[in-house]
Amino acid sequence: MESKVIEGKARPRGNYPHLKRAGDFLFVSGTSARRADNTIAGAEGDGSGVARLDIRVQTRAVIENIRDILKSADAKLEDVVEITTYLVDMNDFAGYNEVYGEYFDYTGPTRTTVAVHQLPHPHLLIEIRAMAYKPVK
């Protein structure tokens, strides 16, 4: 088995890898819209201290973070076989689903979406974990 923390990505907030290979399977830890500098895509301030949170921007950032993590193991989003998504608010489901559809269709991964009370930062609306199948060469 091999574990990786990917350079240029937000460091995990605990002792776990971004990616773990077990045989022909790749497991991507829960991934958010957090950037390497610890800012959050889709969380912009309006100057008066009020944050504007955008599920579409966050969803896109999460999927692209997963894409980059998979790339470190020579895998692609097309190799993803299962996704579990955690939403803080199910009212964001439509926006999440819209962006998800830009990356995946019915030939894509199986998917489960669940509501959670909160994520590790109050500006995070979404977290996704993924499993991919990429045979060892």
Side-chain angles (χ1 to χ4, degrees):
M1 286 195 287
E2 175 187 3
S3 299
K4 289 184 179 184
V5 173
I6 310 306
E7 193 68 34
K9 291 294 167 191
R11 296 229 14 113
R13 295 185 72 185
N15 292 327
Y16 60 88
H18 287 116
L19 178 77
K20 181 141 191 123
R21 176 179 280 282
D24 291 339
F25 288 94
L26 300 169
F27 298 87
V28 178
S29 292
T31 303
S32 72
R34 199 164 52 94
R35 300 178 183 118
D37 66 0
N38 281 319
T39 60
I40 297 170
E44 307 302 326
D46 70 359
S48 67
V50 176
R52 288 185 316 263
L53 306 178
D54 188 323
I55 189 61
R56 287 170 179 82
V57 172
Q58 287 198 19
T59 301
R60 191 169 285 108
V62 171
I63 294 172
E64 290 174 4
N65 280 337
I66 291 170
R67 179 198 62 207
D68 295 346
I69 291 167
L70 289 169
K71 186 177 179 181
S72 76
D74 295 322
K76 301 177 183 176
L77 289 175
E78 292 83 3
D79 299 314
V80 175
V81 295
E82 182 179 43
I83 281 184
T84 303
T85 301
Y86 305 93
L87 293 177
V88 173
D89 186 346
M90 276 298 173
N91 288 321
D92 286 334
F93 185 83
Y96 150 68
N97 210 38
E98 175 187 314
V99 173
Y100 182 93
E102 295 172 12
Y103 294 88
F104 302 106
D105 61 18
Y106 289 106
T107 65
T110 63
R111 184 180 91 177
T112 300
T113 305
V114 296
V116 295
H117 172 68
Q118 62 187 18
L119 291 168
H121 190 284
H123 293 164
L124 292 175
L125 301 173
I126 183 171
E127 181 173 295
I128 299 176
R129 65 181 294 273
M131 181 175 60
Y133 178 74
K134 184 68 175 177
V136 178
K137 294 179 181 178

